[in-house]
Amino acid sequence: MENDLVIPRHIAIIMDGNGRWAQKHSLERCEGHRMGAEALKKLIENMRDLPEVKYMTFYAFSTENWKRSEEEVSALMHLLVEFLDMNLSIFMKNDLRLLVTGRLEGMPEEPRSKLKEAIEKTKDNKGLCVIIALNYGGRSEIADAAKAIARKAACGELDPEKVDEKLFAEYLYNPQVPDPDLLIRTSGELRLSNFLLWEISYSEIYVTDTLWPDFDKNELMEAIKSFNKRSRRFGGR
Ligand code: FPP
C-alpha cells in the first residue's frame, strides 16, 4: 500500500501542543518544548526511508512568540542552541541540509551564529532539506518582499509593471523552495497562525489532535494517506 502512495515533495508542520503535553504529564511548559525538540529530531532522522520528501518546514518560533514570558522565550532559544549543538552530527550522517525561514537578523546572537554555522556546514548535503521557521511571520515575509521590490522600483532597477505573482515569489525568504504540498497542524487547532501565508495557497491541510511531542513517523504516514485521498485541482476542474 505504502509503495502506491503519492509522497508530497514539501511538507510543512505547525508543531503545536507542547504546553498541553507538559500539562498532561504534570511537567513545566519548557519540558514540553524539550520533548517537542526531541520529536523533531527523531522525525527528521526517520525520514531517510521517505526520500521522495525533499523539503520539510517546521514552525518553531513565530514573530508573535516574543510575547511569551521571558523565561519561556529564553528556554526556547536555549533549546535551539542545544538542538543545533547536539544534532549537527545527525544532519551530517543523514545528509540533511538546514535552512531557516524568518527574520534571522532579529534572533539573539548565539542562536543566530549557531544557525549560520549549521547552514554553512550542511550546505552541500543532498538529502532532505530541513527548514526551521524562526522569528517567522507570513505577513512579515510578504511585507519584506514588498519592501525589497519597492526599493528596487524606487531606484529605477525594476519596472513596477513587471511585478506579478512569479516575480513577487522571487523576493520571499527561500525562493528556491517549492510551495508545500501538505500542511500539518498538531494538537487540533484549526488556525494558520501566520504560517507561510503566500506559500500554502494550494496546500492540502491535515489537522491531528496528537500533541506535537507525540507526533512521529507513523502519524506522518497517516497524514500522507489522507493527502492521497484528496483531489488537487489547483482551482481548475
Ligand atoms: C507550540 O506549542 C510550540 C512552540 C511555540 C514552539 C515549538 C518548538 C519546538 C517544537 C521545540 C523547539 C524547536 C527547536 C528547533 C529546538 P505551545 O507551547 O503553543 O503549546 P500549547 O498550545 O499546548 O500551549
Side-chain angles (χ1 to χ4, degrees):
M1 162 65 182
E2 275 177 24
N3 293 340
D4 301 332
L5 290 174
V6 173
I7 307 294
R9 180 167 56 152
H10 182 175
I11 302 175
I13 307 188
I14 301 177
M15 307 183 285
D16 194 15
N18 294 346
R20 274 161 284 174
W21 185 94
Q23 198 173 29
K24 195 172 137 191
H25 293 85
S26 311
L27 294 166
E28 298 282 327
R29 286 185 66 76
C30 294
E31 283 308 306
H33 292 316
R34 181 172 296 285
M35 292 312 288
E38 193 57 26
L40 172 59
K41 180 197 92 176
K42 285 199 186 122
L43 186 64
I44 57 174
E45 214 182 354
N46 279 330
M47 290 304 292
R48 57 182 158 248
D49 39 337
L50 266 186
E52 302 92 333
V53 180
K54 305 287 183 205
Y55 304 87
M56 290 185 89
T57 302
F58 297 93
Y59 205 5
F61 197 88
S62 73
T63 45
E64 289 75 31
N65 285 153
W66 298 109
K67 289 187 238 155
R68 295 194 177 197
S69 73
E70 210 183 309
E71 186 194 355
E72 187 171 351
V73 169
S74 133
L76 279 166
M77 292 301 146
H78 183 74
L79 204 54
L80 174 61
V81 169
E82 211 177 272
F83 177 85
L84 296 168
D85 278 344
M86 288 172 53
N87 298 322
L88 192 57
S89 56
I90 289 178
F91 272 77
M92 297 316 288
K93 192 170 146 212
N94 292 283
D95 207 18
L96 306 174
R97 179 168 178 206
L98 178 73
L99 283 182
V100 163
T101 186
R103 288 179 171 162
L104 191 53
E105 69 283 2
M107 290 287 285
E109 162 57 23
E110 198 187 10
R112 185 159 36 104
S113 64
K114 295 268 178 199
L115 284 161
K116 284 190 176 158
E117 203 182 304
I119 291 168
E120 177 61 26
K121 286 213 171 107
T122 62
K123 75 176 190 320
D124 295 322
N125 289 353
K126 298 283 183 280
L128 174 69
C129 182
V130 176
I131 305 159
I132 306 186
L134 288 160
N135 193 20
Y136 177 85
R139 288 182 175 179
S140 305
E141 181 177 24
I142 293 169
D144 286 351
K147 194 194 283 178
I149 291 170
R151 277 206 189 108
K152 279 208 163 175
C155 66
E157 283 177 28
L158 180 73
D159 174 2
E161 292 307 317
K162 295 249 157 66
V163 180
D164 59 10
E165 290 176 25
K166 187 169 171 290
L167 182 134
F168 196 93
E170 284 164 17
Y171 286 81
L172 297 173
Y173 294 145
N174 286 306
Q176 76 284 16
V177 174
D179 290 344
D181 306 288
L182 172 62
L183 170 71
I184 299 174
R185 180 164 190 146
T186 58
S187 91
E189 309 285 353
L190 302 175
R191 275 196 296 276
L192 294 176
S193 300
N194 201 13
F195 191 41
L196 303 178
L197 297 181
W198 178 283
E199 296 88 337
I200 57 168
S201 294
Y202 285 102
S203 306
E204 296 296 328
I205 302 179
Y206 176 85
V207 177
T208 171
D209 285 336
T210 301
L211 305 174
W212 174 253
D214 293 328
F215 191 89
D216 60 11
K217 179 77 182 307
N218 291 333
E219 295 273 346
L220 184 76
M221 288 317 299
E222 289 308 313
I224 293 176
K225 281 178 199 159
S226 166
F227 172 80
N228 273 259
K229 293 189 189 122
R230 318 284 177 88
S231 138
R232 301 186 80 198
R233 293 194 295 271
F234 300 93
R237 287 305 308 163

